[in-house]
Amino acid sequence: KMGYAVITVKPSLDTRYGNIDEIHSHDNTSCPAIVIDHLHPEEIIHTAHDHKVNKIIIDEAQFFEKTSLLTTISTLLSEGIDVYAAGILYDFQKQPFGAMIDIKNQAHEHIELYAICQKCGRLATLSERTSQNKDLIDIGASDKYIAVCESCHEIHN
């Protein structure tokens, strides 16, 4: 932490892995998180003030309401609070997901992480839904999605 006050927040939609007040990596590493209503990301501002933070990590940022999240991030930055937003850029239909493309384009720095395509072994940049659910948001992990490259990606009807 290097003397900084840091908190992690996540959207209320993300209930994977059991503990709602934690975030988890896919290898099941976890850390505490504060749950924020995904429709009201402006609550992040109040949470940052309540905890007197210098830095805030927003996990699964794609699930927050887009316009309000962008305004929230802008407000936090103008107050001198560093913001780190993590999320996926594209949904299972290869469409921009929530505010992520806007956040990426406005960021001072962005780091993209990739997986290995589970079909051919190349670099995976997309998620392919393996369940039959047609809803835009279907929270899941390896039970509903696989990592795939652009060439292997399919949208199942």
Side-chain angles (χ1 to χ4, degrees):
K1 288 187 180 180
M2 297 177 59
Y4 296 111
V6 181
I7 59 170
T8 300
V9 299
K10 73 175 203 173
S12 54
L13 284 176
D14 187 4
T15 57
R16 296 172 296 170
Y17 305 109
N19 293 334
I20 193 147
D21 60 347
E22 293 179 341
I23 61 169
H24 289 258
S25 65
H26 291 292
D27 68 357
N28 213 26
T29 303
S30 65
C31 77
I34 297 168
V35 178
I36 303 291
D37 182 341
H38 69 282
L39 296 175
H40 298 284
E42 65 276 5
E43 292 175 11
I44 297 170
I45 297 168
H46 306 297
T47 302
H49 293 166
D50 290 347
H51 289 82
K52 297 176 176 51
V53 300
N54 308 98
K55 300 178 183 297
I56 190 158
I57 300 164
I58 303 172
D59 192 43
E60 301 292 356
Q62 74 275 5
F63 292 136
F64 285 107
E65 194 283 319
K66 179 179 179 175
T67 303
S68 184
L69 180 61
L70 292 171
T71 301
T72 295
I73 291 172
S74 179
T75 299
L76 291 167
L77 291 171
S78 72
E79 293 177 359
I81 298 171
D82 293 331
V83 177
Y84 302 86
I88 59 174
L89 295 173
Y90 300 99
D91 66 21
F92 75 104
Q93 297 174 330
K94 297 194 325 187
Q95 298 301 309
F97 205 166
M100 290 308 299
I101 296 294
D102 297 285
I103 292 169
K104 175 185 169 186
N105 290 338
Q106 294 173 9
H108 293 126
E109 177 183 9
H110 74 272
I111 300 168
E112 292 185 49
L113 303 177
Y114 303 98
I116 300 299
C117 179
Q118 291 178 260
K119 292 182 177 180
C120 73
R122 291 189 296 230
L123 194 64
T125 57
L126 300 167
S127 295
E128 181 177 308
R129 183 175 288 172
T130 57
S131 74
Q132 296 303 313
N133 189 335
K134 302 292 187 249
D135 297 335
L136 174 61
I137 296 176
D138 186 16
I139 306 295
S142 61
D143 59 327
K144 296 181 182 180
Y145 297 92
I146 59 171
V148 293
C149 68
E150 181 76 28
S151 298
C152 292
H153 186 269
E154 296 178 70
I155 300 172
H156 301 284
N157 294 322

